[in-house]
């Protein structure tokens, strides 16, 4: 667990009460509590932060991969095109993505906003969105499907319990941020 936090949000008594109840549930009545890190794909067992958009790597529809930004993650899921602010479809060169696969999203990956006013909103990547890369304001979780359904984890992240834990780990005064290590430490009940 990340230590030495001085911000009051981290020690919100209501959140602490809920998290202590979760801790006390572990092992009782066949209830298990997992850290998200324990459910990540073994080949890729870290939450991966995306890459800031680089004009030098900009491609187009013919030679690029769509670039996912926070504004593409909505309460209705991950979307592109009409109704997505000023999307203007950004693309990253396909050749660069092929050399830097950690910035490539795969079907059933979960994306989470980690900066700005909408920290914590999440979405599940579907086959229809592929191929896709993602911005540095987004973290990617690749869940081990043998352990858990990615849709369940995405639903958990959007739930009150998931959002409460995310809120606890947000830091920063003017530029809010959620560390990838904090996402890995979130606890899910099964």
């Amino acid at each position: 667990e990340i230590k030495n936090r001085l911000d009051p949000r981290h020690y919100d008594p209501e959140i602490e009460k809920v998290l202590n109840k979760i801790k006390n549930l572990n092992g009782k009545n066949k209830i298990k509590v997992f850290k998200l890190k324990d459910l990540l794909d073994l080949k890729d067992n870290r939450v991966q932060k995306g890459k800031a958009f680089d004009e030098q790597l900009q491609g187009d529809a013919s030679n690029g991969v769509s670039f996912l930004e926070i504004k593409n993650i909505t309460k209705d899921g991950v979307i592109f095109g009409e109704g997505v602010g000023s999307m203007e479809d950004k693309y990253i060169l396909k050749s660069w993505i092929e050399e830097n696969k950690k910035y490539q999203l795969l079907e059933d990956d979960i994306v989470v906003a980690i900066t700005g006013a909408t920290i914590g909103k999440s979405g599940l990547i579907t086959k229809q969105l592929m191929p896709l890369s993602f911005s540095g304001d987004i973290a990617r979780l690749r869940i081990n499907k043998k352990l858990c359904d990615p849709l369940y984890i995405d639903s958990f992240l959007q739930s009150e319990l998931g959002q409460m834990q995310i809120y606890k780990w947000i830091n920063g005064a003017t530029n809010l941020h959620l560390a990838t290590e904090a996402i890995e430490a979130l606890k899910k009940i099964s």
Side-chain angles (χ1 to χ4, degrees), residues 63 65 92-104 131:
N63 67 357
V65 171
I92 293 288
L93 289 173
K94 194 177 292 185
S95 58
W96 186 84
I97 290 297
E98 288 169 0
E99 294 172 12
N100 297 277
K101 292 203 182 285
K102 69 182 180 179
Y103 299 115
Q104 181 178 17

Side-chain angles (χ1 to χ4, degrees), residues 9 36 47-52 68-71 73 103 110-123 134-141 157 163 166-167 169-172 174-184 186:
R9 173 189 300 124
L36 284 188
V47 172
Q48 175 65 49
K49 185 178 177 199
K51 177 163 178 35
L68 181 74
E69 297 179 284
I70 289 177
K71 63 185 167 191
I73 306 171
Y103 299 115
I110 299 166
V111 289
V112 181
I114 59 171
T115 63
T118 57
I119 288 178
K121 67 179 179 175
S122 68
F134 60 114
S135 88
D137 297 324
I138 295 174
R140 180 221 13 156
L141 290 80
L157 289 170
Q163 289 295 302
I166 288 169
Y167 179 80
W169 290 105
I170 293 172
N171 61 41
T174 54
N175 290 330
L176 300 178
H177 181 76
L178 179 65
T180 56
E181 296 85 0
I183 297 171
E184 292 172 355
L186 298 181

Side-chain angles (χ1 to χ4, degrees), residues 144-188:
N144 181 338
K145 295 178 197 172
K146 292 178 182 173
L147 298 176
C148 193
D149 185 336
L151 181 59
Y152 176 77
I153 297 300
D154 184 43
S155 298
F156 160 74
L157 289 170
Q158 294 178 37
S159 73
E160 186 176 357
L161 179 57
Q163 289 295 302
M164 188 181 290
Q165 291 182 72
I166 288 169
Y167 179 80
K168 173 184 173 77
W169 290 105
I170 293 172
N171 61 41
T174 54
N175 290 330
L176 300 178
H177 181 76
L178 179 65
T180 56
E181 296 85 0
I183 297 171
E184 292 172 355
L186 298 181
K187 292 178 177 66
K188 164 208 137 347

Side-chain angles (χ1 to χ4, degrees), residues 3-96:
K3 302 277 186 209
N4 301 322
R5 294 288 300 263
L6 298 175
D7 51 309
R9 173 189 300 124
H10 186 75
Y11 299 100
D12 183 311
E14 291 302 312
I15 294 174
E16 288 300 310
K17 186 171 19 174
V18 171
L19 294 178
N20 283 331
K21 284 182 182 179
I22 291 170
K23 197 182 299 182
N24 292 332
L25 280 175
N26 198 17
K28 293 181 181 175
N29 299 322
K30 299 182 182 179
I31 294 173
K32 291 186 180 182
V33 178
F34 295 93
K35 287 184 178 180
L36 284 188
K37 182 174 179 35
D38 298 333
L39 301 174
L40 297 176
D41 189 291
L42 293 176
K43 295 176 291 211
D44 193 52
N45 68 349
R46 297 287 314 207
V47 172
Q48 175 65 49
K49 185 178 177 199
K51 177 163 178 35
F53 189 77
D54 184 342
E55 297 289 332
Q56 295 178 348
L57 299 174
Q58 184 169 354
D60 57 35
S62 67
N63 67 357
V65 171
S66 294
F67 187 72
L68 181 74
E69 297 179 284
I70 289 177
K71 63 185 167 191
N72 301 110
I73 306 171
T74 73
K75 62 179 174 50
D76 297 321
V78 177
I79 61 171
F80 281 95
E82 292 182 35
V84 190
S86 58
M87 181 52 200
E88 282 105 35
D89 294 335
K90 286 185 180 176
Y91 295 91
I92 293 288
L93 289 173
K94 194 177 292 185
S95 58
W96 186 84

